Amino acid sequence: MKTIDELLAEGVEGKRVFVRADLNVPLADGTITDDGRIRAVLPTVTKLADAGAKVIVASHLGRPKGAPDPLFSLLPAAERLGELLGKPVAFAQDTVGPAAHDAVDGLEPGQVAVIENLRFNAGETSKDDTERGEFADRLAALADVYVGDGFGAVHRKHASVYDLPARLPHYAGFLIATEVGVLKKLTEDVKRPYVVALGGAKVSDKLAVIDQLLGKADRLLIGGGMAYTFLKAQGHEVGISLLQEDQVPKVKEYIERAKESGVELVLPVDVLVSTEFPDLKTKAPANPTTVAADAIPADQEGLDIGPETRKLYASKLADAGTVFWNGPMGVFEHPDYAEGTKAVAQALLDSPAFTVVGGGDSAAAVRILGFDENAFGHISTGGGASLEYLEGKTLPGLAALEN
């Protein structure tokens, strides 16, 4: 895989460089609530601009239906990118039409433009190779060189991620090079004990990675909504907690495999429960109660790990050599249910281990809960991509850069 260092050594003065970034930031009423993904691509954009490239930044945002939708416009991300760069950033109101060509044609060396949401064109996400390829052809007409730096999208076989690199000289940006290097530390040269903390809502989202980790990790700590399917698989009452009943047989199988393979599977011993889900807008007090994990009342819902579980998980992380964390331990967006996620984040900071926060909600939680993100070994920008890499899957965007 060629990297941006090689591209810079070759020279980019005056060249049109297409940077496939991941600017898929969360928005609330048009305001960015977490700009971490924009900041992650700054090193690549800055280096290219400083070297005299005409930089074209492209990304998706959300899930529009293959047509323009103002709710998913990249304009707020483009404006924030300009603020972080400290200079104007041009914005094209289409992807491959006249506005995009005008914006690119108007660039001087060292200047930056952002084109509109790639998913406003159905060709970006099409499963038809021809339709996707036609869109990639039109994107290729905008540029001389391709730099892949949107790690959060490399697990998608989309036109700008998979097809476009084949049409231009292509290189990995600083972010992707870093992400791949970190993931290799989790798969090829692991310092033990190797502890994995998994949370989030659905156990089905994590089954494939659990399947792989049962032969590689030393400990698995389970929290979040997915924990209740594990507790149910052990025969416990989980009340009205989030439960994927259809996954109980598979989870039972994994519990047995963990025993057989010597992997320590650690589940909550107590949880915070309530009769109703908290109001995440008003943050009104929820007044939860703490119960043993095997004694959840039938009319109650588990919404966070309890104080004893927090202590237990911190102790299981304290002697780790490597830690990978993906998924919050509870409904961290509400202060009454944030302590479990805070405890895991703090335990990572206290541990001497090489710590990796696996993107998505985990990365958002680190920032929202006020932790210094630079204190962690690495915070990934791609939760789904990180998981699929650990599952052993071939990621289309990485494969395209390697070809």
Side-chain angles (χ1 to χ4, degrees):
M1 182 187 296
K2 286 188 174 182
T3 69
I4 188 173
D5 286 323
E6 294 170 86
L7 172 60
L8 291 167
E10 294 167 7
V12 293
E13 176 75 35
K15 289 184 178 179
R16 301 171 301 165
V17 181
F18 187 104
V19 178
R20 203 324 181 168
D22 180 7
L23 308 182
N24 186 28
V25 292
L27 295 170
D29 299 322
T31 300
I32 297 170
T33 58
D34 180 3
D35 66 358
R37 285 177 168 167
I38 301 175
R39 286 185 286 112
V41 78
L42 282 178
T44 290
V45 174
T46 301
K47 274 284 191 180
L48 288 169
D50 288 349
K54 301 176 180 180
V55 186
I56 306 142
V57 181
S59 176
H60 70 285
L61 191 152
R63 296 179 182 274
K65 306 294 185 181
D69 183 336
L71 288 176
F72 299 105
S73 175
L74 273 178
L75 179 58
E79 291 174 341
R80 181 57 180 152
L81 178 62
E83 291 172 0
L84 292 168
L85 289 171
K87 62 182 181 180
V89 168
F91 180 69
Q93 294 183 328
D94 59 24
T95 56
V96 290
H101 281 274
D102 287 346
V104 173
D105 291 345
L107 289 176
E108 296 294 332
Q111 293 184 338
V112 180
V114 174
I115 63 174
E116 186 55 284
N117 192 336
L118 292 164
R119 291 185 182 176
F120 284 2
N121 190 304
E124 169 67 2
T125 59
S126 176
K127 289 182 169 54
D128 181 83
D129 292 348
T130 300
E131 184 180 11
R132 220 175 46 247
E134 289 173 351
F135 182 50
D137 287 339
R138 298 181 70 188
L139 289 172
L142 294 171
D144 305 306
V145 181
Y146 176 92
V147 172
D149 214 32
F151 181 73
V154 294
H155 59 314
R156 306 296 188 191
K157 192 177 182 181
H158 291 170
S160 66
V161 176
Y162 179 75
D163 302 274
L164 183 54
R167 289 158 167 78
L168 294 169
H170 48 272
Y171 304 80
F174 292 122
L175 176 61
I176 280 187
T178 299
E179 294 272 12
V180 171
V182 167
L183 288 170
K184 285 183 176 179
K185 287 187 178 181
L186 297 178
T187 54
E188 297 175 10
D189 186 23
V190 182
K191 184 179 179 182
R192 298 188 179 277
Y194 179 19
V195 184
V196 178
L198 296 176
K202 294 182 179 180
V203 70
S204 56
D205 293 341
K206 305 291 196 303
L207 285 178
V209 74
I210 292 172
D211 181 63
Q212 287 291 316
L213 291 170
L214 284 176
K216 296 172 183 174
D218 298 299
R219 292 182 201 129
L220 288 177
L221 315 183
I222 305 295
M226 63 183 287
Y228 303 102
T229 302
F230 276 84
L231 293 172
K232 184 71 172 181
Q234 289 186 323
H236 302 313
E237 170 66 56
V238 297
I240 58 171
S241 305
L242 186 63
L243 173 66
Q244 288 187 282
E245 190 82 51
D246 61 323
Q247 301 297 334
V248 169
K250 178 61 71 174
V251 169
K252 284 182 178 179
E253 176 192 324
Y254 285 176
I255 291 173
E256 288 304 311
R257 278 183 55 197
K259 290 178 183 177
E260 293 167 2
S261 59
V263 175
E264 186 180 3
L265 180 63
V266 188
L267 299 177
V269 295
D270 62 345
V271 296
L272 299 187
V273 298
S274 176
T275 56
E276 59 185 8
F277 197 83
D279 189 324
L280 300 183
K281 287 189 176 180
T282 66
K283 304 292 197 298
N287 301 315
T289 55
T290 302
V291 300
D294 60 358
I296 299 174
D299 65 340
Q300 304 272 317
E301 178 179 11
L303 295 163
D304 194 15
I305 57 174
E308 293 305 313
T309 305
R310 292 173 220 151
K311 294 177 189 175
L312 173 64
Y313 285 13
S315 72
K316 297 297 182 181
L317 292 163
D319 68 341
T322 303
V323 178
F324 175 72
W325 171 35
N326 182 280
M329 296 291 110
V331 187
F332 73 92
E333 299 91 341
H334 191 285
D336 288 350
Y337 300 106
E339 292 305 316
T341 302
K342 280 185 183 178
V344 168
Q346 187 61 53
L348 263 66
L349 292 182
D350 295 340
S351 171
F354 174 64
T355 57
V356 179
V357 180
D361 286 340
S362 310
V366 163
R367 289 186 277 267
I368 290 169
L369 297 176
F371 288 94
D372 177 6
E373 56 190 293
N374 295 318
F376 296 86
H378 179 70
I379 297 182
S380 178
T381 56
S386 296
L387 287 176
E388 290 198 15
Y389 190 99
L390 294 181
E391 290 166 18
K393 291 183 178 179
T394 297
L395 306 187
L398 296 186
L401 291 174
E402 288 166 353
N403 288 339

